[in-house]
Amino acid sequence: MSPTGYEVLAEELTADAKTVRGAADKVDKAQSGLRNDGTLPTLDPFGRALGSCLAAFYAVPLVGLDLPFTKYIQDGLQSAVDTYEKALGVDPYPPIRNAWIEALGNYSKLVRTAAKKVDDTATTYQQQEDKVTGSFQNIHAGGGGS
Amino acid sequence: MAPISQTHPSPIWHMGDAIQALCDKFGAHGPFADLFSLMGQTDLDKIRHVATSVWGTDGQHSGQVAGSLLAVQHDLSYAAHDATPSWTGDANKAFAGSMDNLAKFFGTAGQDACDVGETLKKFADDADVSIGDGVAAVTGLIGAVVGALAGLAAGAITGPGDPVAAVVGAIVGLIIGLAFAYFGTLLPKIANCLSDMTDLAGQEPPTFKE
């Protein structure tokens, strides 16, 4: 017996929901990869080097380097400090990574919600088929009359 | 993957220790030990690896995050138009429109993830070039300075009152000044790259709006 239109639809939508759930799994995998492999402890030394440079800048006169070019050195370092002061002591990467780990969790929920809607649609069509089939069964069950 | 001190070997990474030893000799306490060595600990190859393999830097060679998001875009687009050929009518149109919006959003998110990867890679590449050029230019000079500093710290002179120490101190001071000036030009370049990442940190990942 060939499947009815509703059955075909329900099967296609069930398969479609599986595709969408698979997409959500990909997002989960990306989140897991970012959480496990996306750390960058190696940026930290840069931040500390910048902090050390700033400390050294203020310490130069204290260690006897009060020479004619000290001013030149200080000016050069001051421009360096001015440039990176905004990022000084702060590694900008962890907040980026953390925000994305959280966002990927939300993306996964979003796709799973879409998958559930597709599943629900498949169920709706399946129920319509059952209803139709059921009505036929009722006819047959009560069809022995007159 | 290896830290900068190994990819760009130079005595400059040990200069902080040499300066600190000399400072200790004269009873001064400048925080120099970390100044030159810390940067050498940074592993730019690791940063590049995370940029390309974890984040992704373009559509063709996307890492795990961007690649997954772009694959989701493709899957949702397929789900919207190709997976249910028997389904027609208004309900299907509404469904396809909704999935198209979602697919478009994932395309944007994938591109934003690529931007993170590209910023990281650019940081690593720019820092690599700046450090490589800078280290190559000063390595010979710094080698001599580190040797001289070590000799001074070991007791070749008696102290700041020694006239020989004054002359040597002036020369060493000049060379240290050059080293500081070198870092004064190198660090802003690296700081500029960090600024790109700082700007990126101020941007939230995209959120979906129905």
Side-chain angles (χ1 to χ4, degrees):
Chain A
M1 197 169 72
S2 61
T4 66
Y6 283 133
E7 282 174 342
V8 171
L9 258 182
E11 279 175 19
E12 285 179 358
L13 282 164
T14 302
D16 206 15
K18 193 177 172 184
T19 301
V20 180
R21 271 197 303 276
D25 290 342
K26 287 176 184 171
V27 178
D28 289 344
K29 195 176 170 190
Q31 186 192 38
S32 171
L34 184 58
R35 183 177 281 133
N36 296 329
D37 305 325
T39 54
L40 274 183
T42 47
L43 265 185
D44 184 50
F46 267 113
R48 286 189 288 142
L50 299 182
S52 184
C53 184
L54 179 61
F57 164 67
Y58 288 115
V60 165
L62 303 178
V63 295
L65 296 178
D66 192 14
L67 300 167
F69 44 81
T70 300
K71 176 81 168 58
Y72 168 75
I73 299 167
Q74 289 176 334
D75 286 349
L77 284 171
Q78 183 61 63
S79 74
V81 168
D82 288 345
T83 305
Y84 58 64
E85 200 167 40
K86 192 167 67 171
L88 193 66
V90 178
D91 184 344
Y93 180 69
I96 296 172
R97 176 175 161 270
N98 291 340
W100 272 90
I101 287 174
E102 187 180 340
L104 288 167
N106 293 333
Y107 297 169
S108 175
K109 284 179 196 162
L110 193 63
V111 181
R112 287 193 193 286
T113 301
K116 187 174 182 310
K117 279 184 184 173
V118 183
D119 256 337
D120 289 347
T121 307
T123 304
T124 300
Y125 281 107
Q126 188 62 54
Q127 283 172 345
Q128 290 197 33
E129 173 67 7
D130 290 345
K131 193 176 171 184
V132 173
T133 305
S135 66
F136 272 109
Q137 283 171 342
N138 287 339
I139 288 169
H140 286 299
S146 67
Chain B
M1 284 178 272
I4 292 171
S5 59
Q6 288 180 32
T7 56
H8 300 289
S10 166
I12 198 169
W13 310 122
H14 309 293
M15 193 164 162
D17 291 335
I19 296 174
Q20 191 66 58
L22 189 63
C23 289
D24 292 345
K25 169 81 177 175
F26 288 97
H29 299 288
F32 297 115
D34 292 342
L35 176 56
F36 297 93
S37 63
L38 279 171
M39 192 176 292
Q41 295 171 14
T42 302
D43 189 337
L44 297 175
D45 287 341
K46 165 79 173 167
I47 295 173
R48 262 188 292 267
H49 172 74
V50 169
T52 55
S53 299
V54 177
W55 286 97
T57 52
D58 60 56
Q60 274 75 45
H61 304 95
S62 291
Q64 218 166 350
V65 178
S68 297
L69 294 175
L70 294 173
V72 169
Q73 179 192 21
H74 176 269
D75 289 350
L76 295 180
S77 188
Y78 171 81
H81 299 286
D82 301 317
T84 54
S86 305
W87 195 17
T88 56
D90 290 342
N92 174 255
K93 282 180 188 166
F95 168 75
S98 170
M99 295 299 267
D100 276 340
N101 279 343
L102 204 52
K104 189 177 170 189
F105 167 75
F106 273 92
T108 302
Q111 191 51 56
D112 283 6
C114 279
D115 290 345
V116 177
E118 284 188 15
T119 301
L120 279 175
K121 186 172 181 298
K122 184 176 181 300
F123 170 78
D125 289 347
D126 288 355
D128 219 353
V129 170
S130 298
I131 291 167
D133 290 349
V135 166
V138 299
T139 286
L141 181 65
I142 298 300
V145 175
V146 170
L149 291 174
L152 290 173
I157 54 176
T158 55
D162 186 334
V164 177
V167 174
V168 173
I171 295 169
V172 168
L174 172 62
I175 298 173
I176 291 173
L178 290 174
F180 275 116
Y182 158 70
F183 271 84
T185 56
L186 175 65
L187 287 176
K189 288 181 185 174
I190 293 173
N192 278 337
C193 300
L194 278 175
S195 291
D196 288 345
M197 290 184 59
T198 304
D199 291 344
L200 206 57
Q203 300 167 14
E204 292 293 317
T207 50
F208 181 69
K209 293 179 180 64
E210 301 258 7

